[in-house]
Amino acid sequence: MNFTDITYEDERKPLIEQRADPYVYYHKDGYYYFTASVPEYDRIELRRAWSVKGLEKAQAVTIWKKHAQGPMSWHIWAPELHYIKGKWYIYFAAGRAEDPWWIRTYVLENDSPDPFCGEWKELGLLEAEWDSFMLDTTVFENKGKWYAVWAQKRQEKLENSVLYIAQMESPTKLKFPQTLLTVPEYDWECRGYKVNEGPAVLNRNGKIFLTYSASATDSTYCMGMLFADENADLTKAESWKKLESPVLISDGKKGIFGPGHNSFTTSRDGKEDYLIYHARPYPEVDLNFALYDPNRHTWVKRIKYDDRGYPLFQ
């Protein structure tokens, strides 16, 4: 079996074409699991391989399809696969056929050791403190506690979306109050639309690094970052510091435009960290139809660290 790690040449071309909002999870069974938004926004797929590179040619299996109407019947977006306390969970966003932008977060559960087997049960909404546009939920564990971070429209409706964090009482229930982490405030977060979305967590070097995506889903899309000490109270806004500049932007020389909505994984030996993200291979896209342009591809990049132990993505 080929366990080849990612090379410089691998970084210069898409890993998987037409898969946006990519999520890769390296499980204790030795497999890398992959899921993402498909261009049709109508189903959730899984694939797995023994290496990150192997995901490119791995068979995609549909494990859930959208409903014909009502909740979970439109805009099936950004699924994430997590293994929590012996069960598999998928968090994803979905709208309604009769109201496509009524987007909320939903949860699927599977108690089979193999997520390709068993039954994926619909557990309904992951409810926030108030009901509004909500998507891109990710979860992570730190110091024995589980947390969720997600994008949501504020009650004041000043922006398209901001980021919140809350501790989790269970894989399907948040512990309130939820804490506001970041709002679009810098120019690079407000191009086209005022957006903070797509959070992802990297726990390294005593810090919790929280990346997120900002602006419209064209070539202005980019990644920002917050960080906190791993021993801090992560539900306190003052525990987090936000960088004033983006950490990953379009790179015309490399032909990578609108990078964002990422996840993190590692090499098999744990010696390298990888950034998994989506981007387009061209800059021009009609902003009114950007979400329906299928060519947001999955890319992979090795992460370097500076002298402080902070990740470098550019």
Side-chain angles (χ1 to χ4, degrees):
M1 285 180 278
N2 183 8
F3 295 151
T4 303
D5 285 331
I6 298 301
T7 67
Y8 176 73
E9 290 303 316
D10 295 325
E11 298 180 13
R12 298 181 66 85
K13 59 185 180 182
L15 175 69
I16 302 173
E17 294 189 351
Q18 296 194 342
R19 290 297 182 270
D21 314 320
Y23 190 84
V24 174
Y25 169 62
Y26 182 40
H27 191 47
K28 61 184 180 181
D29 63 4
Y31 279 113
Y32 287 90
Y33 289 85
F34 175 87
T35 189
S37 298
V38 302
E40 298 81 6
Y41 299 147
D42 64 351
R43 64 192 185 274
I44 296 176
E45 293 180 343
L46 291 181
R47 64 176 75 184
R48 64 183 172 192
W50 292 107
S51 66
V52 171
K53 193 172 181 178
L55 291 169
E56 177 184 11
K57 298 182 178 180
Q59 180 182 4
V61 176
T62 297
I63 57 94
W64 183 87
K65 294 182 178 179
K66 72 175 184 178
H67 293 196
Q69 59 187 5
M72 298 181 285
S73 61
W74 207 261
H75 284 156
I76 309 304
W77 286 347
E80 288 198 6
L81 178 71
H82 295 270
Y83 191 73
I84 305 173
K85 298 179 180 179
K87 295 182 180 182
W88 294 97
Y89 293 90
I90 290 177
Y91 299 87
F92 67 102
R96 301 170 178 258
E98 59 273 22
D99 190 356
W101 298 103
W102 197 90
I103 305 289
R104 302 294 187 272
T105 294
Y106 297 88
V107 187
L108 304 178
E109 180 190 71
N110 190 337
D111 60 9
S112 171
D114 184 344
F116 287 86
C117 301
E119 178 187 0
W120 281 99
K121 301 176 182 178
E122 297 176 0
L123 302 186
L125 286 167
L126 181 69
E127 296 184 3
E129 198 169 348
W130 59 88
D131 184 44
S132 66
F133 181 86
M134 177 182 177
L135 73 168
D136 296 351
T137 298
T138 192
V139 304
F140 69 98
E141 183 271 335
N142 182 56
K143 306 297 182 182
K145 298 179 180 179
W146 281 88
Y147 300 86
V149 184
W150 67 94
Q152 188 175 1
K153 185 178 286 290
R154 284 204 279 181
Q155 291 172 302
E156 298 87 348
K157 299 182 179 180
L158 300 175
E159 311 89 2
N160 294 84
S161 61
V162 301
L163 292 188
Y164 290 95
I165 189 172
Q167 194 174 329
M168 304 184 78
E169 290 188 12
S170 73
T172 60
K173 187 175 182 181
L174 301 176
K175 183 179 180 180
F176 301 133
Q178 62 192 56
T179 300
L180 178 65
L181 286 182
T182 170
V183 303
E185 57 187 310
Y186 300 115
D187 173 70
W188 54 270
E189 298 177 290
C190 301
R191 294 171 181 167
Y193 298 105
K194 295 181 179 181
V195 170
N196 283 174
E197 65 181 14
V201 173
L202 178 66
N203 189 339
R204 290 290 182 271
N205 307 321
K207 302 289 185 184
I208 306 294
F209 298 102
L210 176 63
T211 57
Y212 64 95
S213 299
S215 288
T217 55
D218 57 8
S219 61
T220 66
Y221 205 56
C222 60
M223 277 172 46
M225 190 172 76
L226 301 90
F227 62 90
D229 188 279
E230 65 178 0
N231 295 310
D233 183 345
L234 302 182
T235 63
K236 300 294 185 183
E238 57 267 27
S239 296
W240 295 88
K241 180 177 176 59
K242 178 178 176 178
L243 299 185
E244 296 181 1
S245 300
V247 294
L248 185 64
I249 61 175
S250 293
D251 189 332
K253 292 182 179 180
K254 294 181 180 179
I256 298 174
F257 299 93
H261 203 129
N262 69 287
S263 59
F264 297 104
T265 192
T266 69
S267 58
R268 290 185 68 88
D269 60 12
K271 294 182 179 179
E272 286 195 307
D273 291 319
Y274 298 144
L275 172 72
I276 313 292
Y277 65 101
H278 77 226
R280 288 190 181 87
Y282 48 80
E284 298 301 326
V285 62
D286 186 338
L287 185 55
N288 293 319
F289 300 99
L291 286 173
Y292 307 104
D293 177 320
N295 294 316
R296 290 186 295 172
H297 305 324
T298 295
W299 304 65
V300 59
K301 182 179 179 62
R302 293 168 296 176
I303 300 172
K304 298 180 181 178
Y305 291 87
D306 64 18
D307 294 339
R308 302 173 299 170
Y310 289 24
L312 300 172
F313 303 110
Q314 196 68 38

